[in-house]
Amino acid sequence: MQSAHPLEIPEIVSYVASYVRKRNLTTCALVSKTWYQAFNPFIWHDINCEFEGPYLPEALHRHTQLVRTLKADYSSGKEGRKKLLDLRFPNLVSLDLSIILLHEDMKEWVLDHSSVTHLNLNASDLNPVFWSTLFGFRHLKNLTVWRLELSGKDVDTFWQLCTHLERLEVFFPKISYPGNTLSMEFLSIKEFKLCYFNHKVEDFIPKFLQRCPSLTSFWVYGKDSPEFISSISELVAARTWPHLHSITIMACKIASDTRSKIIR
Amino acid sequence: MKVTLESSDGQVFTVDKEVAELSVIIKEMLVIEQANQDHPIPLLNVGAVELAKVIEYCEHHRNDPTIDDDEDYDSRKKPIEMDDWDKQFTIVNKEMMFELILAANSMQVKPLLHLGCRYAADIVKRMSPTEIRDLFQIDDDFTPEEQDKIEWEKQWTKL
């Protein structure tokens, strides 16, 4: 008896699927049941919900367990948002939410996906209540937040969350940080990215960074904040981060002595 | 230290232990049979021609770091780097490559399995489902309803 063709063995087809480009995946899924089983996890692996049509959630609901990366943009309509809120993705790893209007009814849905390790929250209208949901994400390694606004005891809870993180990106943060009480260490943070416009907001950042000894990469986009950049340069010069290999500073005015300090 | 391997058609090959250990199956066998290495390890599913090719591959990659790919979220999507030697190695006819995929699968030589599957992915990328079925002699086992359902789903994945 002749042995089976390798491309009928499920594990092998699954390896093949991992090398097929996205746009060819669905064609391959139509070959046979074995191929469909092998290709389907790759087809539904990354989902981008823009809700141009009303049917996507209907196709999606059969494959929610396969979705690992979900990007949802709520700017394009109430209907789609409602439909998404009916779905749960039990194996989700990465969640990327762009929200124009943050509704209270989303809180439960967001918390139902709090086992993700990657989270990107991009909201333009903030409900402060919503920030507290962030603290339910106990497995987070990679966090990107836009317009993070924190004050009072939420700040401490946020630091607590940061102790697990490997990568933190903050865009336009507003953190009312009460003085010198930061005593935690952020041992796992390796990458930090910051974008801001208002030079008053970043007072806490050098204090925070000082407590990230494993930092390897630092990226900042800012405007008119020589004090901030100079405090960073002093930290660099003092070898606060022995593993640092990449530092990017954009759109900042840097005084020449500060520049030479960083270069050294 | 040397290890001897025997192909399904009875040919015996002698290779360095660390070369043979690129095969997860052989590595496990060597652990079990540590005391008893007087006779060659039989590879019942691998012919001499393929085994020689597999050994050639393992010799070249003997110092590579091992890959651990099972069910890992990120690494499954990560393509394996192919060097010039690998490119030369894959210049064989399709039948040979499919035999090698089978051999790599049964011996569990993971990097070679990946290399072969990448080769297969390159072949299928511009083919229709019918062409793929014809090439690999795969039966179309979908009912028309199942076919319609997948076609319907396909338009919502935006691929």
Side-chain angles (χ1 to χ4, degrees), chain B residues 50-69:
Chain B
E50 292 78 29
L51 186 54
K53 267 301 239 188
V54 174
I55 292 170
E56 184 192 340
Y57 179 87
C58 293
E59 288 276 3
H60 182 79
H61 288 278
R62 61 197 293 165
N63 297 319
D64 288 5
T66 50
I67 51 168
D68 181 21
D69 52 9

Side-chain angles (χ1 to χ4, degrees), chain A residues 99-106 121 123 125-127 130-131:
Chain A
I99 315 156
I100 294 298
L101 270 167
L102 205 59
H103 294 255
E104 186 66 28
D105 63 355
M106 277 194 59
L121 275 182
D125 180 24
L126 288 178
N127 177 347
F130 200 75
W131 290 123

Side-chain angles (χ1 to χ4, degrees), chain A residues 119-160:
Chain A
L119 179 66
N120 180 355
L121 275 182
N122 175 6
S124 60
D125 180 24
L126 288 178
N127 177 347
V129 178
F130 200 75
W131 290 123
S132 63
T133 59
L134 201 71
F135 308 141
F137 286 74
R138 308 214 173 276
H139 307 281
L140 221 51
K141 285 193 175 138
N142 201 321
L143 174 65
T144 303
V145 260
W146 294 68
R147 301 174 190 87
L148 178 69
E149 258 181 82
L150 294 172
S151 61
K153 69 178 187 345
D154 281 353
V155 179
D156 287 325
T157 321
F158 180 68
W159 297 140
Q160 197 67 51

Side-chain angles (χ1 to χ4, degrees), chain A residues 225-238:
Chain A
S225 55
E227 300 89 356
F228 171 57
I229 298 301
S230 108
S231 62
I232 291 299
S233 75
E234 270 158 35
L235 289 173
V236 172

Side-chain angles (χ1 to χ4, degrees), chain A residues 19-142:
Chain A
Y19 287 104
V20 170
R21 277 168 193 258
K22 252 192 132 167
R23 62 172 182 277
N24 303 114
L25 289 171
T26 46
T27 307
C28 294
L30 284 160
V31 170
S32 73
K33 285 184 179 168
T34 304
W35 279 53
Y36 178 78
Q37 291 292 339
F39 277 79
N40 226 14
F42 295 92
I43 292 174
W44 297 94
H45 187 280
D46 303 33
I47 290 298
N48 196 348
C49 288
E50 286 167 336
F51 302 116
E52 277 159 20
Y55 298 108
L56 174 67
E58 283 159 39
L60 194 54
H61 91 269
R62 293 179 229 214
H63 304 289
T64 49
Q65 78 288 355
L66 297 176
V67 180
R68 312 300 295 270
T69 297
L70 178 71
K71 192 169 182 214
D73 184 346
Y74 286 138
S75 49
S76 45
K78 245 182 175 173
E79 272 306 296
R81 196 178 70 85
K82 262 197 198 122
K83 283 187 170 156
L84 184 76
L85 290 186
D86 288 338
L87 303 177
R88 293 295 183 276
F89 303 91
N91 299 314
L92 202 65
V93 173
S94 171
L95 177 62
D96 187 335
L97 288 177
S98 288
I99 315 156
I100 294 298
L101 270 167
L102 205 59
H103 294 255
E104 186 66 28
D105 63 355
M106 277 194 59
K107 205 174 151 180
E108 190 195 324
W109 184 88
V110 171
L111 275 176
D112 280 343
H113 297 96
S114 61
S115 62
V116 297
T117 58
H118 292 54
L119 179 66
N120 180 355
L121 275 182
N122 175 6
S124 60
D125 180 24
L126 288 178
N127 177 347
V129 178
F130 200 75
W131 290 123
S132 63
T133 59
L134 201 71
F135 308 141
F137 286 74
R138 308 214 173 276
H139 307 281
L140 221 51
K141 285 193 175 138
N142 201 321

